[in-house]
Amino acid sequence: MEKHWYLSAIDIINELPEGERSFFYQKSHRKKYAKSSVIFSPGDHGNLIYYVLNGRIKIYNLSECGKEIIYWFCHPKDFFGLAEVCGGEMRTVFAEAAEETEVLWINRANFEELISRSPKIALFIMRILGSRIRQTHETIKDLIMCDVHTRLAQLLIKLGQICGCSHDGVITLEKKFTHQEMANMIGATRTTVTEVMNEFRKTGFIKCDGSRITILDYARLAGFIGFSD
Amino acid sequence: MEKHWYLSAIDIINELPEGERSFFYQKSHRKKYAKSSVIFSPGDHGNLIYYVLNGRIKIYNLSECGKEIIYWFCHPKDFFGLAEVCGGEMRTVFAEAAEETEVLWINRANFEELISRSPKIALFIMRILGSRIRQTHETIKDLIMCDVHTRLAQLLIKLGQICGCSHDGVITLEKKFTHQEMANMIGATRTTVTEVMNEFRKTGFIKCDGSRITILDYARLAGFIGFSD
DNA sequence: CAATAACTGTCGTCCAGCAAACATAATTAA
DNA sequence: TTAATTATGTTTGCTGGACGACAGTTATTG
């Protein structure tokens, strides 16, 4: 299970020394976003960083022809919008509330002050950025190396680790995902995902009630893609 | 031309205040690697960060079946090995000298001291990591969206910007790349790259002398993939 | 509770690009 | 200078999965 260590959020805020934590809370602002509202878009000036309190944020991009590519979802205790702030660059991705979501945001000046107060924070942030680089590397590798079956199996396992709830050996995903969303996460089409999901269902790897997915046979699903842990 | 802003290295060392720069030089060690020697491999403990003085470092991975995936090349003034050091994680990629290469390395403790001396450095490093995240995002997008023709055209343009030398409107790449290497950079097979390169040659986009590539018609090559700048 | 919108299930059709297999350069080593 | 290695050119299947099209099903919402 340690293979996907980087999926578990690094909870910076709670690991912070008291002084910095209260500085962060003091300088940050709370905001609630309705489902489907866009927090930022490519071309926006990247001046704020965000911290998810609850809900879920989709980080994605749209191609010229309107196809959506989902890079990842940010869950509670995750930061997002970090990458562009340090250089004062423009956003290159969309951030959108996948469901009603509350965030804290802090502006660049305060963020930089926070860093200069405590280099420890800088190291934490670098750790987050580093782990995202690794994640994207893995995505690239999978896109090049693996077929849709494998990518989907991997996705299900990751989702299980991020938002899975384990009962009697089966893992139920606490969030709902449409086939279209899953397709956008692994770079496939909706129809193909539907087909493969049904295949997995028939093989007994998973079960679906509506769009609630349950992983029945984690071991075989994992074995399918060459996991051993 | 600004589209690929992030390709130009951020030259941290020279932007550093004098005190930190000399601290860096004082604490860092020079080392020369022969062509094809491996600096680190997946599973190694990530304890050092590196700065390229001259030469070229290939950052890549090998799949189970031995296929190579090149994430990028690090050129003079680039850092590499950053991502894993902050969390004290293991390496997940290979770093190998693509030609004879000299680097400076500094260990984690000194790196952390450097950061605590000057938060400005932390921001620089975050900027580097941020720009790499964007690069990998673009790679993911291209893999999902674009066919091999487009990916190869894009690669040639990027290579032109990174190591191209412009004369009379044509851009000659100063480094040599084999078709296999190019294939590994865009997630294609060698044969396909050979075919498409010949197509580009016949169309007059490029010229090849041995493995020295010249971009004859940047505009049309760029136009091919929908550039306008 | 309609009705409207958003998902899911299932088909053919088609083609980009991979895999395998050679032949022929062009380097590098010895 | 020759042998050995490594890179390039080309061709012939074959197939994963995209695309398009539609019917059935489940959610939303006025």
Side-chain angles (χ1 to χ4, degrees), chain A residues 84 89-90 126 134 136, chain B residues 84 86-87 89-90 134 136:
Chain A
E84 303 91 344
E89 310 291 354
M90 281 186 179
M126 287 179 206
R134 290 153 171 244
T136 54
Chain B
E84 302 92 343
C86 309
E89 310 291 355
M90 281 186 178
R134 291 154 171 244
T136 53

Side-chain angles (χ1 to χ4, degrees), chain B residues 98-155:
Chain B
E99 53 195 71
E100 185 176 87
T101 299
E102 266 186 307
V103 303
L104 293 179
W105 61 263
I106 182 170
N107 70 26
R108 191 171 155 196
N110 285 322
F111 173 68
E112 291 186 1
E113 190 184 335
L114 193 62
I115 284 173
S116 48
R117 278 173 169 237
S118 154
K120 204 179 166 191
I121 297 170
L123 291 170
F124 269 126
I125 303 272
M126 287 179 207
R127 218 166 120 194
I128 294 174
L129 294 174
S131 84
R132 294 222 173 132
I133 289 176
R134 291 154 171 244
Q135 271 181 77
T136 53
H137 277 179
E138 197 165 301
T139 305
I140 290 170
K141 187 176 157 192
D142 291 344
L143 283 170
I144 293 174
M145 292 297 313
C146 308
D147 62 9
V148 171
H149 283 241
T150 309
R151 299 213 299 277
L152 188 55
Q154 261 168 326
L155 176 67

Side-chain angles (χ1 to χ4, degrees), chain A residues 39-223:
Chain A
I39 290 112
F40 56 73
S41 312
D44 289 0
H45 198 70
N47 247 336
L48 306 178
I49 67 171
Y50 301 85
Y51 177 78
V52 182
L53 291 170
N54 53 64
R56 202 159 42 115
I57 299 289
K58 180 171 75 179
I59 304 296
Y60 68 102
N61 214 328
L62 292 175
S63 72
E64 292 66 35
C65 59
K67 188 168 173 171
E68 181 182 275
I69 296 152
I70 299 176
Y71 295 117
W72 60 60
F73 284 92
C74 293
H75 294 87
K77 296 181 181 175
D78 277 339
F79 275 89
F80 67 94
L82 279 171
E84 303 91 344
V85 170
C86 309
E89 310 291 354
M90 281 186 179
R91 305 290 184 190
T92 53
V93 294
F94 290 91
E96 177 183 315
E99 55 194 71
E100 186 176 86
T101 300
E102 267 188 306
V103 303
L104 294 179
W105 61 262
I106 182 170
N107 70 25
R108 191 171 155 194
N110 284 322
F111 173 68
E112 290 187 1
E113 190 183 337
L114 194 62
I115 285 174
S116 49
R117 279 173 168 236
S118 153
K120 205 180 167 190
I121 297 170
L123 291 169
F124 269 126
I125 303 273
M126 287 179 206
R127 220 166 118 193
I128 294 175
L129 294 174
S131 84
R132 294 221 172 134
I133 290 176
R134 290 153 171 244
Q135 272 182 75
T136 54
H137 277 180
E138 197 164 300
T139 304
I140 290 169
K141 188 176 158 192
D142 291 343
L143 283 170
I144 293 174
M145 292 297 313
C146 307
D147 62 9
V148 171
H149 283 240
T150 310
R151 298 213 298 277
L152 187 55
Q154 261 168 327
L155 176 67
L156 290 169
I157 286 176
K158 282 190 193 177
L159 292 178
Q161 292 179 353
I162 293 171
C163 58
C165 175
S166 195
H167 275 306
D168 320 316
V170 307
I171 300 163
T172 302
L173 304 191
E174 290 178 322
K175 305 284 180 183
K176 292 184 172 189
F177 298 92
T178 66
H179 291 176
Q180 185 66 65
E181 281 177 318
M182 289 192 272
N184 295 345
M185 283 188 257
I186 62 172
T189 54
R190 201 273 310 161
T191 40
T192 309
V193 168
T194 300
E195 267 171 37
V196 178
M197 284 294 279
N198 285 331
E199 216 175 286
F200 284 173
R201 197 147 45 79
K202 282 170 196 156
T203 328
F205 289 174
I206 60 170
K207 188 180 73 176
C208 305
D209 298 317
S211 44
R212 165 123 304 135
I213 300 164
T214 304
I215 300 171
L216 296 174
D217 197 337
Y218 184 95
R220 277 207 300 153
L221 191 61

